[in-house]
Amino acid sequence: MRRFKRVFITALIIFAGFILQFGLFANSPLIGTVPNILLIITVSFGFMNGKNQGMAVGFACGLLMDIVSMSAVGFHMIIFILIGYVNGALHRFLYSDSIIFPLFVTTFCSFTYSGYLYVFQFLIRNRLNFVYYLLHVIIPEAVYTVVLAVLVYQIISSVNYRLEEAERRSATKFV
């Protein structure tokens, strides 16, 4: 039952992030770009809960991105799984309650994701104007994503803390 509750709440968070990213923010771009909320969710879950959950959330978020973007299934999934894995590996070494390091990691992952998109969607098609793409797409998206990451990370951290508390209480009842 505890596992089902965690999976259900994680799925709700992913679905809410999906609706926000492709519904609300896609229809009203503030600075000409859309924040990558699914990236924030993947980074957050990997950073808070380890490699396995980071990769699982990355898989789900990447699959949703592939379905919406109508690209080959697996294009976004690969980078999201890798981001979830790397952030999950950081879980063992770093303290996740501080907001500073997750914001730094989210910034790095946003630049990594945008660089991945540039290489495989533009550079391969001989579109070499990287400075234009950097100034008009990568940096605005990274800034917008990091600003929203402050709020989203705090919400996910609070939900994760409550789930862990409920799991601890439940485990002590059966001992």
Side-chain angles (χ1 to χ4, degrees):
M1 185 65 182
R2 294 179 311 222
R3 181 129 174 104
F4 175 75
K5 185 176 180 181
R6 181 173 283 279
V7 169
F8 181 73
I9 290 174
T10 302
L12 279 177
I13 290 171
I14 292 170
F15 184 69
F18 173 76
I19 295 298
L20 284 173
Q21 182 172 338
F22 291 103
L24 180 69
F25 289 117
N27 292 325
S28 62
L30 184 63
I31 55 175
T33 187
V34 178
N36 199 337
I37 296 174
L38 294 177
L39 180 76
I40 299 168
I41 292 170
T42 302
V43 168
S44 299
F45 274 99
F47 195 69
M48 283 186 241
N49 298 320
K51 291 186 270 192
N52 290 336
Q53 193 165 4
M55 289 181 358
V57 169
F59 174 83
C61 291
L63 183 63
L64 286 172
M65 292 280 287
D66 285 335
I67 290 170
V68 168
S69 68
M70 301 296 251
S71 64
V73 174
F75 178 74
H76 291 95
M77 207 176 349
I78 290 171
I79 190 69
F80 272 85
I81 289 172
L82 288 172
I83 288 171
Y85 178 81
V86 169
N87 286 294
L90 293 175
H91 166 74
R92 295 180 66 195
F93 304 110
L94 301 167
Y95 185 63
S96 65
D97 284 344
S98 173
I99 191 70
I100 301 300
F101 194 75
L103 289 179
F104 175 73
V105 171
T106 302
T107 305
F108 178 75
C109 289
S110 182
F111 278 104
T112 302
Y113 175 73
S114 296
Y116 172 82
L117 290 181
Y118 174 76
V119 167
F120 289 107
Q121 288 185 338
F122 296 103
L123 190 63
I124 288 179
R125 288 192 250 154
N126 205 20
R127 295 183 183 164
L128 303 175
N129 197 353
F130 179 73
V131 173
Y132 178 83
Y133 189 76
L134 177 72
L135 294 176
H136 291 90
V137 176
I138 294 176
I139 292 176
E141 182 179 317
V143 168
Y144 202 7
T145 298
V146 169
V147 167
L148 276 178
V150 173
L151 177 66
V152 173
Y153 184 81
Q154 292 296 329
I155 292 169
I156 292 173
S157 179
S158 174
V159 168
N160 189 52
Y161 178 75
R162 289 187 178 140
L163 283 173
E164 287 176 354
E165 284 295 315
E167 289 170 358
R168 279 190 218 115
R169 279 187 305 224
S170 177
T172 58
K173 288 180 184 178
F174 293 112
V175 175

